[in-house]
Amino acid sequence: MMKADSARVVRIRSINHPRSFSTTSAALALSNVARSKANQLSQWKGTSVIGETTKNFIGGEFVDSKSSEWTEVLDPTTQTLLSTVPQTTETEFKQAVDAAAQAFKSWSRTSVLGRQRFVIELQHLLRKNADAIANSIVLEQGKTLSDAHGDLLRGLQVAEHAIGITSTLLGDKLEVSRDMDTYVRKVPLGVCASVAPFNFPAMIPLWTIPMAAVTGNTLILKPSERDPGAAMIIAELCQQAGLPPGVLNIVHGGVPTVNAICDDPAIRAISFVGGDRAGKHIYNRGTQNGKRVQANMGAKNHAVIMPDANKNLALNSLVGAAFGAAGQRCMAISVAVLVGEAQSWLPEIIERAQKLRVNGGFEPDTDIGPVISPNAKARIVDIISSAEEEGGKLHLDGRGLVVPSYPDGNFVGPTVIEAKTPMRCYQEEIFGPVLVVIQADTLEDGIEIINANRYGNGAAIFTQSGATARKFETDINVGQIGINVPLPMFAWSGNKGSVLGDIGFYGKSGIDFYTQNKTTTSLWRAEDAVGTRAHSTMPTFS
């Protein structure tokens, strides 16, 4: 995910006070629609898209940071300053951890029905405020409006799953001997932490907040310093949904905050989604400190196109999965393996990619928005250029794209490169709107190419042959497989270089990550029973 380590270097400036703008001057460079959305978002307590500061969320309060280091959040479409985000201080971080530890004492003893009630209310509020969250994502991250709503929806699905906690948290019980029972309960870990990436500012926080809270844990969330707005809105909605102070806390910053999360002895588990370098650092440092860590990292997802595939379905799916969200998805299809006669379909892939509309995220009918930052754009352009230098064929070149309405935007147009596997454009995760096309003579050749790649997030095949699909499913070595669909919908299960840790993010795995087993063996002899008077009142257990 969030590859391009150089693109993650953001400008942090040491200042006495963050600069602030009036609503009017901060929004002058935005389009009329974006300006209107920015003004609407000014009602939220913890975030700003009108040039003011993003706050910490500690112990149920949105708190101004006393930091001297601030990161600028810029609109990727216009480079307008939207907010400044603090490098949370050591004192503030400790306050967040202390608040989470204190809240755990009571939240972990709150009934499962009470915790379930919070998630039920949260999913209702997320739906009610979907437009605000989506607007924040478009402004800070650059996604199209429809894709921003999709970002939220995929996170909302995890919240809805968490509502079923009264079934999914059930333990096991066995009568091992006469009157002797052994039973296993799933109990919360304690204070947990989540480090989220820029590319899914709503979905990834919602992978962790509902699952951690409903299982009885408390959480320290560090959203990306590039686009924290969605997470701050979600925190306010958690408040409105009845989450007690301290159960969720939000801190900000870069490496110092990440290291504090890895090192603090009160934090029991860390969930991370992002790039390789940060993921390996967090996994190694966190596990060395005795923490449970799950880390989803880089990806290079392939789609095998067989000659017998439904051409229209295959090409539309491929183009959408390759270029949607400007390629900034961990499950983007970034490599097309054209098998045999399907190699003749390349001109049609190019034709469909050319029809995609690149523009600002709020503009009607936009298919592709800007990438997150000028650094990210520069890296994407550099990798495209390297393909030319290494002998690749640039069938569609998006490097020089200019959007007249937004000349300062971080835009890269759809790019299609015919390449060989040793090339940089194939070996590295590009994280941009670039499709690398590889030719293969047979299905076996395509499988061999994919299995040799160091990443293992996912792969797809398009075919009308059940036998071909079965062989692909059996022989391919990736965690997630799509058959005539590009993006798996459920049960995150990447492998190889795409993941560290052996417990997944949501579904049954999510419950396992946020709980530990407690086993009790008890002996209550039936003959020792003393009769008591029965009670007829309906038990409520609330």
Side-chain angles (χ1 to χ4, degrees), residues 310-318 352 462 484-485:
N310 179 317
K311 182 189 285 190
N312 193 54
L313 170 65
L315 298 189
N316 283 339
S317 299
L318 176 62
R352 296 186 191 212
F462 289 85
N484 294 323
V485 294

Side-chain angles (χ1 to χ4, degrees), residues 76-340:
T77 304
T78 64
Q79 311 309 318
T80 301
L81 178 68
L82 300 175
S83 181
T84 50
V85 181
Q87 169 57 59
T88 296
T89 68
E90 291 183 17
T91 299
E92 291 162 354
F93 180 81
K94 184 60 177 172
Q95 289 170 346
V97 175
D98 289 345
Q102 186 65 31
F104 177 72
K105 296 176 182 178
S106 56
W107 183 246
S108 61
R109 294 182 176 273
T110 300
S111 73
V112 69
L113 296 179
R115 302 195 304 256
Q116 180 192 50
R117 193 175 303 121
F118 153 68
V119 186
I120 291 172
E121 184 60 23
L122 176 62
Q123 63 86 27
H124 165 70
L125 290 172
L126 289 169
R127 291 186 181 279
K128 183 178 178 182
N129 294 277
D131 287 344
I133 296 171
N135 289 338
S136 173
I137 293 172
V138 176
L139 283 164
E140 292 185 348
Q141 203 272 349
K143 290 187 179 186
T144 66
L145 186 58
S146 60
D147 198 38
H149 275 281
D151 185 330
L152 172 62
L153 179 60
R154 292 299 296 270
L156 183 57
Q157 290 167 349
V158 178
E160 290 172 335
H161 169 77
I163 293 172
I165 192 65
T166 50
S167 297
T168 55
L169 201 62
L170 289 174
D172 298 303
K173 185 174 182 179
L174 175 67
E175 187 174 359
V176 296
S177 182
R178 181 181 176 184
D179 296 333
M180 181 179 289
D181 301 314
T182 294
Y183 51 98
V184 181
R185 291 174 291 156
K186 294 181 180 296
V187 298
L189 297 175
V191 180
C192 300
S194 174
V195 180
F198 76 82
N199 56 323
F200 285 102
M203 183 182 80
I204 302 302
L206 289 173
W207 277 11
T208 57
I209 295 170
M211 299 301 289
V214 81
T215 49
N217 298 280
T218 57
L219 187 69
I220 308 290
L221 171 66
K222 192 202 86 67
S224 171
E225 60 274 25
R226 295 174 174 183
D227 50 9
M232 302 309 296
I233 294 172
I234 291 169
E236 190 167 342
L237 295 180
C238 286
Q239 263 193 330
Q240 295 177 20
L243 194 65
V247 177
L248 172 64
N249 303 270
I250 297 182
V251 295
H252 303 285
V255 174
T257 305
V258 169
N259 287 342
I261 287 171
C262 293
D263 295 344
D264 195 294
I267 294 175
R268 297 287 310 281
I270 306 171
S271 177
F272 169 80
V273 177
D276 287 357
R277 188 172 69 178
K280 291 174 183 177
H281 172 77
I282 290 170
Y283 182 82
N284 292 332
R285 190 160 177 159
T287 54
Q288 286 171 5
N289 286 319
K291 304 181 192 307
R292 180 181 291 177
V293 181
Q294 55 181 193
N296 270 7
M297 303 180 296
K300 199 75 177 179
N301 306 305
H302 299 64
V304 173
I305 311 297
M306 298 300 295
D308 70 335
N310 179 317
K311 182 189 285 190
N312 193 54
L313 170 65
L315 298 189
N316 283 339
S317 299
L318 176 62
V319 170
F323 302 115
Q328 299 174 121
R329 291 174 180 156
C330 53
M331 286 308 299
I333 295 294
S334 53
V335 181
V337 181
L338 304 184
V339 177

Side-chain angles (χ1 to χ4, degrees), residues 398-418:
R399 287 177 294 181
L401 178 76
V402 176
V403 177
S405 300
Y406 302 105
D408 296 322
N410 307 320
F411 294 103
V412 180
T415 298
V416 179
I417 304 171
E418 189 176 348

Side-chain angles (χ1 to χ4, degrees), residues 25-94:
S25 61
L28 277 179
L30 300 176
S31 69
N32 290 335
V33 173
R35 189 181 307 123
S36 172
K37 304 296 186 184
N39 289 332
Q40 292 171 18
L41 289 170
S42 62
Q43 63 174 302
W44 297 94
K45 299 176 183 177
T47 183
S48 169
V49 286
I50 56 174
E52 299 174 357
T53 61
T54 298
K55 303 182 188 307
N56 293 317
F57 183 60
I58 300 174
E61 300 290 337
F62 291 98
V63 183
D64 287 313
S65 176
K66 298 187 182 337
S67 180
S68 62
E69 293 183 292
W70 297 78
T71 299
E72 294 181 342
V73 177
L74 304 179
D75 167 28
T77 304
T78 64
Q79 311 309 318
T80 301
L81 178 68
L82 300 175
S83 181
T84 50
V85 181
Q87 169 57 59
T88 296
T89 68
E90 291 183 17
T91 299
E92 291 162 354
F93 180 81
K94 184 60 177 172

